[in-house]
Amino acid sequence: MVLAALASCTAFAANNLATYLSKAAPSHFFPSADRFGPVQGDPPIAPVYQSDKLLGFVYLNSDFANAVGYSGKPIHTLVGIDPKGILTGLKLVEHKEPIVLVGIPEKRILEAVNKLIGADLGSVARGAAPAPQVDIVSGATVTVLVIGDSIVRSATKLIRSGRLGAQANPAASTVPRVSRTIDPAKSEIRDWQSLVGDGSVKRLLLSVADVNKAFEKTGNAAAAARPEEGDPDETFIDLYVADVAVPTIGRSLLGDDGYNRLVGRLKPGQQTLVVAGSGRYSFKGAAYVRGGIFDRVELIQETNSVRFRDRDHTRLGNLVAEGAPDFPEIALFTVPPELPLDPTEPWVLQLLMQRVVGARDKALVTFDLGYTLPETYLKREAPLQPPATAAAPLAKSAPLAAERREAGTPPPATDEEPLWMRIWRGDVVKIGMTVAALGALTLIFFFQNFLVRRPAIYVWVRRSYLLFILVWLGWYANAQLSVVNVLTFVNSLLTGFSWEYFLAAPLIFILWASIAAGLLFWGRGPFCGWLCPFGALQELLNNVAQALKVPQFNVPWGLHERLWPIKYIIFLGLFGMSLYSTAFAEQLAEVEPFKTSIILKFAREWPFVLYALTLLAAGLFVERFFCRYMCPLGAALAIPGRIRMFEWLRRWPECGSPCQRCAKECPVQAIHPDGHINVNECIYCMHCQELYFDDHRCPHMIQVRLKREKREALSSPSMRSGKGPNTVITAGGKPVGSQPAVPSHHPQPEA
């Protein structure tokens, strides 16, 4: 563990442009290139040569622009650009995006982003052309947009800096200009109409027809063929935005109390925007509830952009300004302190709209709501430093913040509610259902003796529960645990543990907490036998196979015992690889078919689907084939499962010697021939406990039942009075015959 920690520290120390260049070839960015030149400047760029001829430069997007993705960590991409400002090549070198690791192929991400190659960003930097857009990948919208935006913004920033040699900004001036700041003395209360009238509150009004025309202009025929339905003049969205850190605007819209509370938690210079909307389109969407990020709005100023996360968001019920409309959606978005917004300069709130054009494809259009703070709120001061220098701290803030996140350094303290608490509040229904399901399972375990004595009820309860876990917890909620969770947890212990990272996924956290507690009581059985959606899928399919008379194959004990260790070998291999490279270990974790069959519901490339179906097909003949021999997560849980403190599964002295019934009927062959249960392999299906109490199948209980019946027969009133269907006549202790019973009022013959 110490060596792994040292290795991770060394890797982080070398995490710079020079390190990433070693992962790429010069020809990837310029076909005729044969070498990289020495890294130069700050932020660093590397010249690319063919012999002694300079072809262009390569740089890291995260060194120039905000590249923080869905994971909260930067997405590092090497960008090739020629002296004229044309993009020549891209290479994604490192990321922690969960949606890509979970199952969206990285190839699809690259195909979307590579559409930027060949774009003339020199024209974009001069303002002569709009910024190019990337194609949207369904299920990875935020990831693709972050990569695309960071490439465009970093390139335009580099071009404007003049470091390419051919694209120095002729408009740039080194003459100091007058500094402008917000005037705190101006804090009067104003009504809604006056705020909208002078631009203190800016508006974007889009009708259904406006949106349909925008998609038609993209040239995407599939998107144009799926127009929004309804009256063309109907309001699609009516969006308003304002900077409420400005005293007059804040006091007018939030009231004195609301404004004072806001200012009390803001850092010097930090800004907060109020965004309000109505109409059929929500500017919030639903992605922030699942993943804590608002993917429909983006704040843009110059080459920097911000996509707000749940920790930046506060809900508002209404705006207090006189005459303000009633909005169904109002949000306060606080600009993160590491990405400052200059309120005296223009900025844009970009609204993103998507339209589904296929099973896995979406079209995208954006609308810009520009904002410039009215001069009445500003005061002018003496000339300060040149514009280029003044912008430098803002330009450097994004990569510095990215490095701080990547190093595990916590962000500056704020008074806002933690992100994970807001995510939990947004997932109340799912959390409630998960807790209820876990509570039901706890009752099943604690009252298992009552349940297994009634086999018909037991079978109904078990199959119903497994079906719920498969359909709701797995396919709907996507709460399928993976060995990747174990590797990530260990990696976090080595590189900087943070509870907030794990609390950000409520269902996963609840399941892991319950499994950790269950290990003390029942070992790995609660998860493997009851809470794993893929395990439930295997067992339910095998139940159908048995009902259809598909032959079941019992693996010979000698072979079965030697196949057990395979899953432990797989887990140890993944664990060891994770100490070297977590990303590579996550790729190797594809040995689990969970992503294909549960998370992506088989909507994946055919090799993955074929692999998952093969394992499920094997399970039709050998129940829970994957669980028995290949599951690394089951192996990972079996190891700490040895610490369990209670023994809930009952056994008779005859179990194993001579009786072998439980061993032969165990669905996963977890019972040794000598009768003891191997808890490392037991999935706690309770089938052996059902047999334990069955006085028609368990030999021990059959003997108990026969003795009980004989005892009850001998103690019956008819036997005590000598009555019975037959009276046995003996002589010398040997039966000599039988006669019909004699009525009680006649003398009884002597034996």
Side-chain angles (χ1 to χ4, degrees):
M1 291 174 67
V2 172
L3 290 175
L6 292 174
S8 65
C9 294
T10 303
F12 175 73
N15 185 12
N16 50 36
L17 176 60
T19 300
Y20 288 124
L21 285 177
S22 65
K23 301 180 180 181
S27 58
H28 185 90
F29 306 97
F30 299 89
S32 60
D34 52 27
R35 67 184 178 92
F36 291 115
V39 175
Q40 55 188 241
D42 182 25
I45 60 176
V48 185
Y49 296 94
Q50 179 187 10
S51 297
D52 294 330
K53 178 183 178 182
L54 176 66
L55 301 179
F57 300 87
V58 173
Y59 68 91
L60 198 63
N61 65 330
S62 54
D63 285 338
F64 286 83
N66 174 33
V68 177
Y70 204 92
S71 63
K73 295 184 179 182
I75 304 172
H76 298 298
T77 306
L78 289 173
V79 182
I81 188 169
D82 70 9
K84 295 182 180 180
I86 296 176
L87 291 184
T88 59
L90 304 169
K91 184 174 180 60
L92 180 63
V93 288
E94 184 176 324
H95 69 86
K96 303 294 182 183
E97 293 300 272
I99 191 63
V100 180
L101 296 175
V102 162
I104 299 294
E106 191 172 287
K107 179 182 177 182
R108 293 192 62 205
I109 304 294
L110 296 177
E111 288 175 351
V113 176
N114 283 341
K115 296 293 181 67
L116 295 175
I117 295 177
D120 181 4
L121 294 186
S123 299
V124 176
R126 294 190 300 271
Q133 297 288 338
V134 297
D135 292 339
I136 293 301
V137 176
S138 180
T141 301
V142 173
T143 299
V144 173
L145 288 178
V146 167
I147 297 175
D149 288 352
S150 66
I151 291 171
V152 173
R153 299 188 194 289
S154 61
T156 54
K157 182 177 179 179
L158 177 59
I159 292 169
R160 289 170 180 169
S161 71
R163 297 175 64 188
L164 296 184
Q167 290 292 330
N169 187 356
S173 173
T174 59
V175 178
R177 63 180 179 180
V178 175
S179 174
R180 301 185 303 168
T181 60
I182 296 175
D183 187 354
K186 297 181 178 180
S187 59
E188 69 273 20
I189 302 295
R190 302 174 58 189
D191 63 21
W192 177 258
Q193 291 300 328
S194 65
L195 291 171
V196 175
D198 71 352
S200 299
V201 176
K202 294 303 291 283
R203 182 188 190 189
L204 174 66
L205 176 62
L206 297 173
S207 67
V208 171
D210 294 332
V211 175
N212 288 336
K213 289 178 182 177
F215 277 104
E216 290 173 2
K217 290 180 180 179
T218 63
N220 190 321
R226 293 172 171 82
E228 297 291 335
E229 298 179 354
D231 185 351
D233 295 327
E234 180 185 353
T235 299
F236 190 77
I237 187 170
D238 192 6
L239 190 67
Y240 295 83
V241 66
D243 186 350
V244 289
V246 179
T248 294
I249 302 175
R251 292 184 64 217
S252 300
L253 295 179
L254 306 179
D256 286 334
D257 291 342
Y259 175 73
N260 291 334
R261 287 195 300 270
L262 173 66
V263 172
R265 70 171 188 256
L266 293 181
K267 295 185 176 299
Q270 193 174 11
Q271 304 300 308
T272 296
L273 312 182
V274 65
V275 182
S278 61
R280 65 163 69 178
Y281 188 73
S282 165
F283 69 84
K284 291 184 179 181
Y288 78 99
V289 177
R290 298 188 301 272
I293 191 168
F294 293 84
D295 62 352
R296 295 187 176 186
V297 290
E298 181 181 13
L299 174 63
I300 301 171
Q301 187 175 57
E302 291 294 333
T303 60
N304 291 284
S305 62
V306 179
R307 277 193 171 81
F308 299 105
R309 304 187 75 88
D310 230 351
R311 61 173 174 262
D312 310 317
H313 169 247
T314 303
R315 291 187 180 91
L316 285 182
N318 64 294
L319 300 176
V320 301
E322 181 181 352
D326 291 329
F327 292 101
E329 282 188 329
I330 308 176
L332 277 179
F333 290 121
T334 301
V335 181
E338 66 268 22
L339 294 168
L341 172 71
D342 184 353
T344 66
E345 296 295 330
W347 50 267
V348 171
L349 185 73
Q350 190 173 81
L351 178 68
L352 180 146
M353 294 184 187
Q354 301 178 40
R355 178 173 290 178
V356 177
V357 296
R360 302 174 63 180
D361 298 319
K362 295 181 181 179
L364 166 71
V365 294
T366 58
F367 297 89
D368 290 345
L369 176 52
Y371 189 94
T372 302
L373 192 66
E375 289 288 336
T376 184
Y377 301 120
L378 304 177
K379 66 177 181 178
R380 297 176 180 271
E381 298 180 347
L384 294 177
Q385 53 195 351
T389 306
L394 180 62
K396 292 183 179 180
S397 62
L400 290 176
E403 291 177 5
R404 181 163 57 245
R405 289 190 189 93
E406 193 166 40
T409 305
T414 66
D415 295 330
E416 295 186 24
E417 190 177 36
L419 167 64
W420 68 268
M421 294 181 66
R422 302 185 182 204
I423 295 176
W424 282 59
R425 188 178 297 110
D427 268 350
V428 170
V429 175
K430 289 183 179 179
I431 291 172
M433 293 188 67
T434 303
V435 171
L438 293 172
L441 183 60
T442 303
L443 292 176
I444 290 173
F445 281 3
F446 273 100
F447 296 97
Q448 63 183 40
N449 291 343
F450 172 84
L451 184 62
V452 296
R453 289 175 185 268
R454 296 158 178 81
I457 298 177
Y458 157 77
V459 172
W460 181 85
V461 168
R462 177 163 175 78
R463 291 178 180 174
S464 299
Y465 195 91
L466 292 179
L467 185 63
F468 169 81
I469 292 298
L470 171 62
V471 176
W472 186 84
L473 192 66
W475 285 336
Y476 176 74
N478 287 342
Q480 168 72 66
L481 302 187
S482 166
V483 72
V484 173
N485 302 131
V486 178
L487 303 180
T488 302
F489 180 79
V490 174
N491 182 261
S492 69
L493 293 177
L494 298 175
T495 58
F497 182 81
S498 172
W499 277 113
E500 290 196 9
Y501 176 81
F502 297 97
L503 287 168
L507 301 190
I508 300 298
F509 181 84
I510 291 173
L511 286 174
W512 274 116
S514 62
I515 290 168
L519 289 174
L520 297 175
F521 288 83
W522 302 284
R524 73 168 188 148
F527 172 74
C528 295
W530 295 82
L531 294 174
C532 176
F534 186 77
L537 177 60
Q538 288 183 97
E539 183 165 328
L540 292 173
L541 287 177
N542 185 265
N543 290 339
V544 174
Q546 292 187 40
L548 297 176
K549 307 300 182 183
V550 174
Q552 300 297 298
F553 178 67
N554 289 322
V555 181
W557 178 259
L559 176 61
H560 173 68
E561 196 174 26
R562 285 160 178 78
L563 293 176
W564 267 347
I566 293 177
K567 59 179 174 287
Y568 296 95
I569 296 173
I570 294 174
F571 168 69
L572 292 176
L574 292 174
F575 180 78
M577 183 55 65
S578 70
L579 299 178
Y580 170 73
S581 171
T582 303
F584 186 53
E586 289 168 345
Q587 295 177 1
L588 295 179
E590 287 287 355
V591 69
E592 294 177 328
F594 304 161
K595 303 170 188 176
T596 302
S597 57
I598 303 299
I599 304 298
L600 299 177
K601 306 174 189 65
F602 298 100
R604 207 175 181 191
E605 288 76 9
W606 70 265
F608 295 98
V609 175
L610 180 62
Y611 173 68
L613 292 178
T614 300
L615 293 176
L616 291 173
L620 299 177
F621 303 93
V622 179
E623 187 168 351
R624 286 185 176 254
F625 175 84
F626 179 79
C627 297
R628 294 195 202 189
Y629 307 124
M630 296 181 62
C631 182
L633 179 57
L637 294 177
I639 296 171
R642 300 287 296 179
I643 67 174
R644 77 190 190 287
M645 302 173 62
F646 305 95
E647 194 64 61
W648 296 76
L649 300 178
R650 300 185 179 187
R651 309 297 289 152
W652 296 116
E654 297 90 337
C655 291
S657 178
C659 181
Q660 295 288 321
R661 180 149 195 172
C662 287
K664 291 181 178 179
E665 293 193 19
C666 177
V668 293
Q669 294 180 260
I671 302 177
H672 285 254
D674 62 7
H676 87 271
I677 299 173
N678 187 339
V679 293
N680 290 342
E681 308 301 323
C682 176
I683 63 170
Y684 219 91
C685 67
M686 297 189 227
H687 181 70
C688 60
Q689 300 305 286
E690 181 191 353
L691 292 174
Y692 179 91
F693 290 105
D694 195 322
D695 56 10
H696 286 80
R697 290 187 292 169
C698 174
H700 177 91
M701 290 302 296
I702 290 174
Q703 294 298 321
V704 171
R705 176 177 59 82
L706 293 177
K707 291 178 181 178
R708 183 180 67 251
E709 291 175 350
K710 181 178 180 180
R711 185 168 58 254
E712 291 174 352
L714 292 175
S715 62
S716 65
S718 60
M719 293 302 294
R720 287 199 302 269
S721 62
K723 297 179 180 180
N726 294 292
T727 300
V728 179
I729 309 299
T730 63
K734 297 181 180 180
V736 297
S738 63
Q739 296 179 357
V742 181
S744 59
H745 58 274
H746 292 289
Q748 297 298 315
E750 296 181 0

